[in-house]
Amino acid sequence: MAPALTRRAGLGLLLLALPGGALAQEDAVAAAIREQVGDTPATEGGITLRAPPVAENGGQVPITVLVESPQTAEAHVTAIHVFATRNPTPGVASFRLTPVMARAEVQTRIRLAEDQRIIAVAQLSDGTVRRTVAELRVTTGGCLS
């Protein structure tokens, strides 16, 4: 009779089945975020990431990041960073903002290699960090390996 497969052994087999690059990519994304905002914990909410759910051309994916902020000298967004979890280089864009800007909003086009999550992170003048995530599908990749 064959030995029974335990839950722990099954989990181990599942982890072995994962592509080795997937864990490395997550580490690279976390390192890229940490490089921009340090170890400050990010909170969800107060930031919106608008992107098409399906990008027909990964070479030009339009995104908009909007952060709720009064944009006054006392309380304003100082930076917005965009990361792509499965791109060869996770850090896609960084924008520096000042209180002179009427709205904490940026628009750009980014290149995506394949289906992935886009992470937008905002740093505020009081030291807090906000983040949001969007899932995107890419029909034709826009990055070279």
Side-chain angles (χ1 to χ4, degrees):
M1 180 153 63
L5 183 65
T6 65
R7 188 181 323 196
R8 184 170 292 186
L11 180 60
L13 289 174
L14 177 64
L15 288 176
L16 288 176
L18 286 176
L23 297 176
Q25 286 175 333
E26 290 299 320
D27 288 344
V29 172
I33 293 172
R34 196 170 34 258
E35 183 179 311
Q36 293 296 334
V37 299
D39 291 323
T40 306
T43 58
E44 298 288 331
I47 180 172
T48 303
L49 173 59
R50 282 186 248 153
V54 177
E56 292 183 22
N57 178 359
Q60 296 187 50
V61 182
I63 64 166
T64 300
V65 181
L66 176 63
V67 184
E68 296 171 18
S69 172
Q71 287 302 97
T72 64
E74 299 79 30
H76 61 278
V77 176
T78 59
I80 294 175
H81 309 285
V82 179
F83 304 92
T85 59
R86 298 185 70 188
N87 262 21
T89 304
V92 175
S94 288
F95 304 90
R96 301 289 174 198
L97 287 77
T98 68
V100 176
M101 300 179 81
R103 291 173 32 159
E105 180 178 351
V106 295
Q107 297 179 356
T108 190
R109 293 182 182 273
I110 62 175
R111 297 177 76 170
L112 299 177
E114 56 190 299
D115 297 357
Q116 57 193 295
R117 289 180 300 136
I118 304 300
I119 303 170
V121 178
Q123 292 176 279
L124 283 70
S125 58
D126 64 0
T128 59
V129 175
R130 298 179 188 168
R131 76 175 252 161
T132 190
V133 178
E135 293 280 341
L136 271 77
R137 295 200 43 141
V138 178
T139 57
T140 305
C143 296
L144 299 175
S145 297

